[in-house]
Amino acid sequence: MVPALAAIGDLPSGILWLVALVVGLVVLCELTGLRYIANNRVGVVEKLWSVKGSVPEGGIIALQGEAGFQAEVLRGGMHFGLWRWQYRIHRVPLVTVPQGKIGYVYARDGEPLAPSQTLGCVIACNNFQDARGFLSGQQVGPDQPAIVGQRGRQRAILREGVYAINLALFYVLTEDMVYRLGTGGTMEAKTLSNWQNELIELEGFDPVVIGGPVEAADPLSPERKVLVDSMGIVTVHDGPSLPPGEIIAPAVGTDRNDKYFHNNYQDPEAFLLAGGRRGLQYVPLTDGTYFINRWFATLESTPKTIVPIGYVGVVVSYYGRTGNDLSGQTFRHGERVAEGERGVQEKPLGPGKYAFNRYAGNIVLVPTTNFVLHWVTGRTETHRYDESLRSIDLVTKDAYEPTLPLSVVVHIDYQKAPNVIQRFGDVKKLITQTLDPMLSAYFRDVAHKRTMLELLQERDAIQHEASQELGRKFGNFDIECVDVLIGKPDTAEAGGKIETLLEQLRLRQLSLEQVETYAKQVTAAEKLRVLNEAQANAQMQTKLSQSLIQVRIVENEAEAQLARARKEAEQKVVTAQAESQQRILAGRGEGARILQEGLSEASVLVRKIQSFTDPRLYALSVVAQNLAKSSQPLVPERVFIAGGGGGNGNGNGHAGDALAIGAGANAGNGLMGMLLGLLVAEKSGFDVAGLPEGNVLQDFADRISKQAMDNIQEAMAANAANGNGNGVGHGADTTAAVLSGPVPGLKDTEVIPS
């Protein structure tokens, strides 16, 4: 001790004063009981001792200053009067409930729960921040005791926010933390942890969201899944139990104007005050978000019920009061009740979507449109009502055993759908328990009265009779038989008796058809012949018309040709007459010309002969000229003279006129004959110049010469008078004038032979 004091004495005086100040402040704080609480925490005050003693038996929180945990908590800041030797301060964090989450509260003190209670009742205590108010309770009425808080799990929940809660009294569970004062031991901590895990599995820290799509079976095809809007079926775990015989808690506090409107189970206290019961609730939750205490109520998300188009939903209610039977005294197949009563309700649900509590009843779908039922082995429709039906086994009058495929069109009136459900429970039972045996018996009776052939051939009549008879029978069960459709009877084995019969019928029918076909072919051939004749007549008519037109054309052309021929004939006649006249005139002119030329030549010859004074001299000159041009030798090597007797040249034996002219004898032909003739004539004394024709020729030659000279002079005088100075064609005109003049000594009509 002495050394310590010596050491302190060695310190500087300033440090000594500082140490003394700190020690003084600490002593002052302890003397004043100063305590500091951070702003993000609260201080739970534990009083170690008190002159008032301890808390009452069974209590934890001191409300009258007793020793123990105090009801009030210390908030952030400085607090005085809390001496360490009397108070212990437990600094705990503020309770934080995240946004969109829920906090659950467990109370360690308060009144014990009643035997029928699961959760503590709701007390106005500022969201559990007023521990004294929770434990002191609230006055409901002047004559009623105050309602105080109860220990255990609480019905009230904490919404998002920050709370200054006395954790010595309340434990708070959130999704990520358990707020508690660590004085309860490990067992308590384990229990709180288990509760937290259960709530996490139930998604209890999240609000309930209703209306999202959930997977459900298709009402028409159960093997197929569809997405349907969800609904929530609520099970309440607190409150009075259901009365005996009830399975669904009734609806309470659903009216917004009701004093105890619980707003879809979000206000548990109002629900219970309204008379709510624990168990399955009749009223489901529909679309929306709900903050529900999962300790108070759990939810099952289930799809809404869909009534498809073409169906109605008959409600079979398991909930409600006992109602009056509306089906009448004669209907002994169950009760039909009004809405809200237990039983088969009279009014079915139309097509639509319903938030129907499947625990409170059942909706049986009944088709209201025409639907087909097949009594055909291995065939079924999508509604599956006929999946257990098979083809009907028959025995005919002639001992055939076919199976008959059958289809029936059925209709159920939507207003009579509850009657059908009352009788049979559902449509499938109606078919399997009533329609199937009824139809089987009816068609077996029909088959017993008919042979196989009649069964095949009278199918239409059987269908008509079946539609009427089955329609009458179906009417007794509130359903309508629209039509009956019968298929082809068949046998199980291939190639049986029915096939043999059918083959015979086919052959018979084929024969009949062939006879009919042949008759039709004969008729068709006759019609074809008539058609061909008509077509030929039509074609020949065209040709006939064309030929008639051609006849007319030919007639017209013939007439035209005839007219043309006549004209041509006339033209030819005229032309022939003209040509004849022309030829006559030309002949006359030619004859005149030849005559004139001959006469002129004769005149010239006469002049030539006269110029020789002796015709013989002229003849010798001509002979000499011809001999000069001849290629034959003048003196022949041989001379043959043929002739005889006194015959003449013509063989008649008489002397001709040539002898008179001077040809004495026909000594031979040719030049030599002529020379010999001339010599004979000369020797005989024949005078050519003394012939009488010589004088005539001489006179004619003189006239011709004179006339030619006169014509030439007249033509020249005429040209000079016309004054034609070109002089072209004067010679031709003069020649024409000379030639065209009349022949002297000839008459106009005299024809001179050529």
Side-chain angles (χ1 to χ4, degrees):
M1 187 69 181
V2 175
L5 293 175
I8 292 174
D10 293 337
L11 293 174
S13 58
I15 295 176
L16 290 176
W17 283 108
L18 180 60
V19 172
L21 180 60
V22 171
V23 171
L25 289 175
V26 172
V27 172
L28 180 61
C29 290
E30 290 297 330
L31 291 176
T32 57
L34 178 64
R35 298 295 178 93
Y36 172 75
I37 303 298
N39 290 328
N40 60 347
R41 292 180 175 270
V42 295
V44 177
V45 179
E46 181 184 0
K47 196 172 186 179
L48 300 179
W49 57 271
S50 174
V51 295
K52 296 182 180 181
S54 298
V55 295
E57 186 66 28
I60 298 175
I61 303 300
L63 299 177
Q64 303 299 329
E66 300 92 347
F69 291 104
Q70 304 299 303
E72 288 76 13
V73 296
L74 302 178
R75 301 299 301 274
M78 298 289 186
H79 301 274
F80 296 93
L82 300 173
W83 298 279
R84 292 183 182 275
W85 59 82
Q86 189 177 8
Y87 297 96
R88 181 182 296 169
I89 307 300
H90 301 273
R91 294 175 176 82
V92 295
L94 295 172
V95 174
T96 302
V97 179
Q99 179 69 28
K101 299 293 183 178
I102 298 175
Y104 294 86
V105 179
Y106 172 78
R108 302 177 64 205
D109 198 359
E111 291 290 331
L113 293 173
S116 62
Q117 281 185 264
T118 304
L119 304 176
C121 61
V122 178
I123 300 297
C125 59
N126 191 19
N127 289 313
F128 304 103
Q129 296 181 103
D130 183 4
R132 184 176 294 277
F134 177 81
L135 296 175
S136 299
Q138 59 185 5
Q139 194 70 31
V140 178
D143 299 333
Q144 295 180 355
I147 300 176
V148 299
Q150 295 174 306
R151 68 182 63 195
R153 294 180 296 180
Q154 301 297 304
R155 296 170 184 164
I157 58 174
L158 294 176
R159 298 285 301 276
E160 57 265 21
V162 179
Y163 303 91
I165 296 177
N166 189 340
L167 297 184
L169 176 60
F170 302 108
Y171 290 164
V172 180
L173 303 177
T174 63
E175 189 174 16
D176 51 1
M177 286 194 67
V178 176
Y179 294 91
R180 72 183 183 91
L181 190 64
T183 57
T186 57
M187 183 61 67
E188 188 177 67
K190 185 176 181 181
T191 301
L192 294 174
S193 179
N194 291 336
W195 288 347
Q196 184 186 37
N197 293 332
E198 290 174 0
L199 290 171
I200 290 174
E201 290 178 1
L202 295 174
E203 298 181 352
F205 296 105
D206 297 315
V208 177
V209 179
I210 302 297
V214 294
E215 200 173 66
D218 189 343
L220 302 181
S221 300
E223 72 281 355
R224 191 166 63 93
K225 300 296 182 181
V226 294
L227 294 179
V228 183
D229 298 345
S230 65
M231 54 174 283
I233 297 177
V234 180
T235 302
V236 173
H237 303 286
D238 198 3
S241 299
L242 292 173
E246 297 290 340
I247 60 172
I248 301 293
V252 295
T254 56
D255 188 359
R256 191 177 188 84
N257 299 320
D258 192 348
K259 176 182 179 181
Y260 299 111
F261 175 64
H262 56 81
N263 194 13
N264 290 304
Y265 311 100
Q266 295 182 101
D267 187 350
E269 204 66 27
F271 172 79
L272 295 174
L273 292 174
R277 304 275 183 153
R278 74 173 64 199
L280 285 170
Q281 302 298 308
Y282 179 74
V283 179
L285 293 179
T286 56
D287 299 9
T289 301
Y290 305 93
F291 290 87
I292 296 177
N293 188 337
R294 302 308 203 287
W295 284 340
F296 175 73
T298 56
L299 289 98
E300 178 185 355
S301 181
T302 184
K304 294 176 182 176
T305 301
I306 296 177
V307 178
I309 296 175
Y311 289 79
V312 293
V314 178
V315 179
V316 181
S317 179
Y318 308 148
Y319 158 81
R321 63 186 181 276
T322 301
N324 296 323
D325 185 8
L326 302 178
S327 58
Q329 295 297 325
T330 59
F331 191 83
R332 313 305 297 174
H333 299 280
E335 294 183 349
R336 187 165 66 252
V337 298
E339 186 176 358
E341 296 178 348
R342 186 178 304 175
V344 178
Q345 296 186 1
E346 182 182 28
K347 185 178 180 181
L349 300 177
K353 187 185 295 183
Y354 300 92
F356 185 80
N357 190 336
R358 58 188 178 87
Y359 294 107
N362 184 27
I363 295 180
V364 182
L365 296 180
V366 177
T368 56
T369 57
N370 294 351
F371 62 97
V372 181
L373 300 175
H374 295 292
W375 273 263
V376 181
T377 303
R379 183 178 179 184
T380 181
E381 288 289 333
T382 56
H383 51 62
R384 295 183 179 276
Y385 294 144
D386 53 359
E387 61 182 353
S388 61
L389 302 180
R390 298 292 180 268
S391 299
I392 302 174
D393 298 328
L394 304 179
V395 178
T396 63
K397 185 178 180 180
D398 50 355
Y400 282 93
E401 297 181 0
T403 57
L404 181 66
L406 182 69
S407 297
V408 179
V409 183
V410 181
H411 174 254
I412 300 176
D413 188 348
Y414 79 97
Q415 293 180 344
K416 297 180 180 179
N419 294 357
V420 175
I421 300 305
Q422 277 183 270
R423 288 177 184 269
F424 305 102
D426 57 35
V427 178
K428 195 166 186 179
K429 290 180 180 178
L430 160 68
I431 295 167
T432 57
Q433 298 178 5
T434 302
L435 300 187
D436 185 21
M438 183 188 302
L439 264 71
S440 300
Y442 174 80
F443 281 100
R444 288 190 179 105
D445 293 341
V446 170
H448 290 164
K449 300 175 184 178
R450 285 177 171 84
T451 64
M452 188 65 204
L453 186 58
E454 292 174 344
L455 191 64
L456 292 171
Q457 294 180 342
E458 299 177 5
R459 174 175 169 272
D460 184 61
I462 295 173
Q463 282 188 164
H464 183 69
E465 294 174 1
S467 297
Q468 292 182 344
E469 181 64 21
L470 293 177
R472 184 184 61 81
K473 292 184 177 182
F474 283 14
N476 298 329
F477 301 100
D478 298 316
I479 60 178
E480 179 184 356
C481 178
V482 179
D483 200 0
V484 177
L485 307 173
I486 300 175
K488 189 190 85 165
D490 199 1
T491 53
E493 67 278 0
K497 295 181 180 179
I498 295 180
E499 290 300 325
T500 304
L501 177 62
L502 293 178
E503 183 63 26
Q504 293 175 356
L505 290 176
R506 280 193 287 267
L507 293 175
R508 184 186 306 171
Q509 186 63 30
L510 179 60
S511 301
L512 295 176
E513 292 295 333
Q514 286 178 344
V515 171
E516 183 69 19
T517 301
Y518 297 152
K520 295 294 184 181
Q521 288 178 350
V522 171
T523 305
E526 181 64 24
K527 295 294 184 182
L528 180 60
R529 184 185 62 79
V530 175
L531 176 62
N532 291 334
E533 290 180 357
Q535 291 178 345
N537 290 334
Q539 294 177 356
M540 295 306 296
Q541 183 66 33
T542 303
K543 293 182 180 180
L544 180 60
S545 300
Q546 293 177 353
S547 63
L548 292 176
I549 295 173
Q550 290 293 333
V551 167
R552 293 181 182 178
I553 293 173
V554 170
E555 289 178 353
N556 293 335
E557 289 180 351
E559 291 178 358
Q561 290 178 358
L562 178 59
R564 187 181 301 111
R566 288 176 180 175
K567 294 297 182 182
E568 289 178 355
E570 293 176 358
Q571 181 180 4
K572 288 180 180 181
V573 169
V574 173
T575 303
Q577 291 177 354
E579 288 179 353
S580 175
Q581 188 67 28
Q582 180 183 4
R583 289 178 181 178
I584 292 171
L585 295 176
R588 289 179 180 179
E590 185 67 19
R593 183 185 65 77
I594 294 172
L595 178 59
Q596 289 180 0
E597 288 179 356
L599 293 175
S600 299
E601 289 178 357
S603 177
V604 172
L605 183 59
V606 168
R607 293 292 182 180
K608 287 181 179 181
I609 295 172
Q610 290 177 356
S611 63
F612 282 91
T613 65
D614 189 354
R616 291 173 292 182
L617 296 176
Y618 176 75
L620 289 175
S621 66
V622 172
V623 170
Q625 290 177 1
N626 290 330
L627 289 175
K629 298 177 181 179
S630 176
S631 60
Q632 292 293 112
L634 295 179
V635 179
E637 295 179 358
R638 295 178 180 90
V639 178
F640 299 94
I641 298 173
N648 60 0
N650 53 15
N652 54 15
H654 300 279
D657 292 337
L659 295 177
I661 296 173
N666 189 7
N669 292 327
L671 180 60
M672 294 303 297
M674 185 185 68
L675 291 177
L676 292 176
L678 288 175
L679 291 176
V680 171
E682 183 181 1
K683 294 298 183 181
S684 63
F686 178 74
D687 187 7
V688 178
L691 292 175
E693 286 82 356
N695 295 328
V696 175
L697 291 174
Q698 182 64 42
D699 293 339
F700 178 74
D702 292 341
R703 289 198 304 272
I704 288 300
S705 299
K706 184 177 182 302
Q707 186 177 0
M709 294 300 295
D710 292 340
N711 289 335
I712 292 172
Q713 290 178 0
E714 289 178 1
M716 292 177 64
N719 289 334
N722 292 333
N724 189 357
N726 53 15
V728 179
H730 291 172
D733 294 338
T734 303
T735 306
V738 173
L739 295 176
S740 62
V743 179
L746 294 176
K747 296 180 180 180
D748 293 337
T749 59
E750 185 178 1
V751 178
I752 301 174
S754 59

